[in-house]
Amino acid sequence: MAGKSGRGAKAPAEAKSRPAAPPAPRPPTPGLVAFVDAWNALQGQGTPPLHARIAAWLEAKREDGARSGLVLLAFRSSGKSTLVGLFCAWLFARDPDLRVLVLAATHGLARKMVRNVKRIVERHPACAGLKPVKTEQWAADQFIVARAAELRDPSMAAKGMLGNMTGSRADVVICDDVEVPNNCDTAAKREDLRERLNEIEYVLVPGGLQIYIGTPHAHDSIYADPGDAGGADAEGTGARAPFLEGFERLAIPLLDAAGRSAWPERFSAERIAAIRKRTGPRKFQAQMMLEPVPETGGRLDPDRMIPYDGALVYSEANRRPMLTLEGRRLVSASCWWDPSYGKPAGDRSVIAVVFVDEGGAYWLHEVAYLRALSPAAAQTDEAADFCRQVAAFAGRNHVQRVSVEANGVGAFLPGILRRTLAEARIACAVAPVHARRAKAARILEAFDARLAARSLHAHRAVWSSPFAIEMREWRPDGHSPDDGLDAVAGCLLSEPVRFGPPGPPPARKDWRPGAGAHAAKTEFEP
């Protein structure tokens, strides 16, 4: 009967289920340099030696199983982001189950790399079969290649630095230009950037790989070489290691030590000269020569201070006290406290001391950025806690007088400080001072001439505080931290300009007739 083809009817023999055919084996993936050559051939162009060098380095580090992380620094417009995009596509061709997360300063920048990798996967012969069938897996800011593993995260996704990474997992994290001028022009922004980048540790799977690519935009850049000083942390608690310490690095500046262009076909001597003239020397050094320098400021150059390592030496001779530093006798000292409290994210409370020797040289011996303890730990109020720190500062530096800027919050501090010094049995006077001139004018007056004359010495510990960073980034418009500068300026302006003791008068023969000494003979007997 015709109706026997219903639910209980037998299926035709040819419709019986058969085991699924195994997927066609994928051809072996070439090395990364050959992969890049094949892609460039599709574009009708060759591979510059610069790109071949970068590709060979990335392939070698991947084959070596680099796990600590990689840093690729190359001058602007060198094609480093394009090459890292090819590197990502090459990784998918070798292992479609990988998960790659791209981080950039903005979501739009991260999407550019994801779109570039999508185009490579669609067109590169070595990536045949990776494009998924479902269009919803092929979005603008993330995609999933054809893979065997069932994973929650996409094959590649784009995130901006302000985006939420919580819950994401990745085998490879690409940090593409995460440091830009807008997020590193102040110390607070640079600290926030470091905190956000530390979140990568919770995204990267064990054994995963981080790759940073970019150019430096700040003096204490996240890309700072481990051989350079790491700078000071945001709170001034001391020097810190470079952010990417332990990462394997490849740095390619535009010009080598002999002045030769790294890509002469595109960057000729004439074009390099035009770039240098158009962008200025500071930006050229940072973006093309990969030397971290501040984008703004430069009026106060800390490199014009003379560093020293010596300690204060107190002694007494014939019951007369003497204070020396680096073998020079000190004749005066100025100590200035610029107080602030109650605003953790605002101004900082800073105290500094400057000595002057017999020759008129200035010695910036210590700059302390005070931090109040919690009320439970200090067992007292914040003002008293600060005064105890100032008293200790005055004691260890043999200070005879502390000037307290009594504008605003400092109005009642001199009385508390006098009581604290008396309780600690430290012989030191307290002088309240009211600043009436604009802060920028005081700072310029204090530093300009002394830096120009190179008469200001600074203890090396000063470079482990935020003071040197304040100098590099200071701008007279008041839009940069200057609490340490204000305190040191107060010290310098409290000291008169001193000249060294005069030497002996020059010997000169008296040309006048009859002048000079004459010995007369006498007949007197003793």
Side-chain angles (χ1 to χ4, degrees):
M1 291 179 60
K4 287 186 178 180
S5 61
R7 184 178 301 177
K10 278 188 175 183
E14 61 272 18
K16 289 181 178 178
S17 59
R18 298 185 179 90
R26 294 177 53 82
T29 305
L32 181 56
V33 177
F35 188 90
V36 172
D37 286 339
W39 177 252
N40 286 333
L42 285 175
Q43 311 303 311
Q45 60 190 19
T47 303
L50 170 68
H51 290 185
R53 176 187 174 187
I54 295 175
W57 181 77
L58 288 171
E59 180 179 358
K61 295 305 176 184
R62 184 61 178 178
E63 295 295 344
D64 290 345
R67 289 291 180 265
S68 59
L70 305 176
V71 182
L72 171 59
L73 301 180
F75 54 91
R76 291 281 291 272
S77 301
S78 61
K80 54 187 176 294
S81 294
T82 300
L83 282 169
V84 172
L86 285 163
F87 174 71
C88 293
W90 177 70
L91 291 178
F92 289 134
R94 299 181 65 189
D95 184 2
D97 292 336
L98 281 179
R99 295 160 295 176
V100 178
L101 176 64
V102 180
L103 290 179
T106 64
H107 184 68
L109 288 174
R111 287 182 62 181
K112 286 179 64 176
M113 176 171 286
V114 173
R115 288 198 303 268
N116 182 42
V117 176
K118 280 178 58 180
R119 289 194 296 268
I120 297 170
V121 171
E122 289 173 338
R123 300 183 56 191
H124 201 293
C127 297
L130 286 180
K131 184 177 179 181
V133 177
K134 298 180 180 179
T135 56
E136 63 267 21
Q137 297 179 342
W138 209 239
D141 58 352
Q142 65 179 37
F143 62 83
I144 302 175
V145 300
R147 62 189 182 187
E150 289 293 335
L151 301 171
R152 185 184 64 177
D153 296 282
S155 298
M156 192 170 195
K159 294 282 186 182
M161 287 304 301
L162 297 179
N164 182 22
M165 292 186 286
T166 304
S168 301
R169 295 292 180 271
D171 302 283
V172 179
V173 176
I174 307 293
C175 296
D176 181 20
D177 280 329
V178 291
E179 180 181 284
V180 295
N182 287 344
N183 65 12
C184 70
D185 57 349
T186 67
K189 288 183 180 180
R190 291 192 293 274
E191 196 66 23
D192 181 65
L193 175 62
R194 284 170 165 81
E195 291 179 3
R196 291 181 180 276
L197 291 174
N198 284 331
E199 290 294 315
I200 294 175
E201 295 295 335
Y202 302 102
V203 173
L204 203 64
V205 300
L209 176 66
Q210 295 183 59
I211 304 179
Y212 282 81
I213 54 176
T215 53
H217 287 271
H219 175 69
D220 56 338
S221 169
I222 61 171
Y223 308 120
D225 191 282
D228 300 333
D233 58 21
E235 299 296 333
T237 55
R240 61 181 171 194
F243 183 71
L244 300 178
E245 186 176 29
F247 281 50
E248 300 184 61
R249 308 168 63 89
L250 175 63
I252 305 178
L254 177 57
L255 300 174
D256 62 12
R260 295 184 294 262
S261 173
W263 195 352
E265 296 81 9
R266 177 167 292 188
F267 292 90
S268 62
E270 293 77 13
R271 186 180 179 190
I272 293 173
I275 294 173
R276 192 193 300 268
K277 182 178 180 180
R278 184 174 64 254
T279 61
R282 299 176 69 83
K283 192 169 185 179
F284 183 85
Q285 288 300 113
Q287 299 296 285
M288 308 306 286
M289 298 302 293
L290 311 179
E291 297 178 6
V293 294
E295 286 290 314
T296 58
R299 182 67 182 268
L300 305 179
D301 184 4
D303 294 331
R304 298 194 66 81
M305 297 190 300
I306 303 173
Y308 70 95
D309 298 290
L312 293 171
V313 178
Y314 176 85
S315 60
E316 294 186 9
N318 296 325
R319 291 186 294 182
R320 297 186 61 183
M322 180 186 301
L323 193 63
T324 59
L325 184 59
E326 294 281 304
R328 303 191 188 189
R329 183 172 183 176
L330 304 177
V331 297
S332 67
S334 293
C335 182
W336 190 281
W337 179 22
D338 181 13
S340 176
Y341 56 91
K343 297 184 293 182
D347 295 339
R348 288 178 286 190
S349 186
V350 184
I351 185 170
V353 61
V354 173
F355 295 95
V356 179
D357 65 20
E358 292 178 314
Y362 298 84
W363 300 79
L364 174 55
H365 194 65
E366 185 176 357
V367 181
Y369 289 74
L370 308 180
R371 302 175 63 190
L373 299 174
S374 64
Q379 297 180 350
T380 185
D381 61 276
E382 191 173 0
D385 182 30
F386 273 143
C387 287
R388 276 201 300 270
Q389 295 181 55
V390 171
F393 182 94
R396 66 176 174 266
N397 286 295
H398 306 279
V399 171
Q400 301 296 311
R401 166 176 151 164
V402 176
S403 299
V404 182
E405 192 168 325
N407 299 37
V409 299
F412 64 91
L413 289 175
I416 302 176
L417 181 56
R418 290 190 187 99
R419 183 185 65 197
T420 306
L421 289 166
E423 292 173 352
R425 302 183 64 82
I426 297 174
C428 179
V430 178
V433 180
H434 295 272
R436 293 179 174 86
R437 298 178 58 201
K439 185 186 295 188
R442 296 200 312 269
I443 291 174
L444 284 175
E445 180 182 346
F447 283 95
D448 259 358
R450 291 168 177 85
L451 290 176
R454 294 186 68 86
S455 62
L456 179 59
H457 300 69
H459 197 279
R460 289 196 186 276
V462 171
W463 270 270
S464 297
S465 73
F467 179 74
I469 298 176
E470 286 185 13
M471 288 189 70
R472 293 187 188 279
E473 297 183 348
W474 183 77
R475 293 176 290 181
D477 57 12
H479 295 301
S480 56
D482 56 9
D483 305 301
L485 292 172
D486 193 20
V488 176
C491 294
L492 294 173
L493 294 176
S494 299
E495 285 290 339
V497 176
R498 297 174 183 268
F499 299 94
R508 183 177 61 179
K509 294 183 178 180
D510 198 329
W511 52 269
R512 296 172 297 171
H518 179 73
K521 293 183 178 180
T522 64
E523 296 179 356
F524 295 101
E525 293 182 1

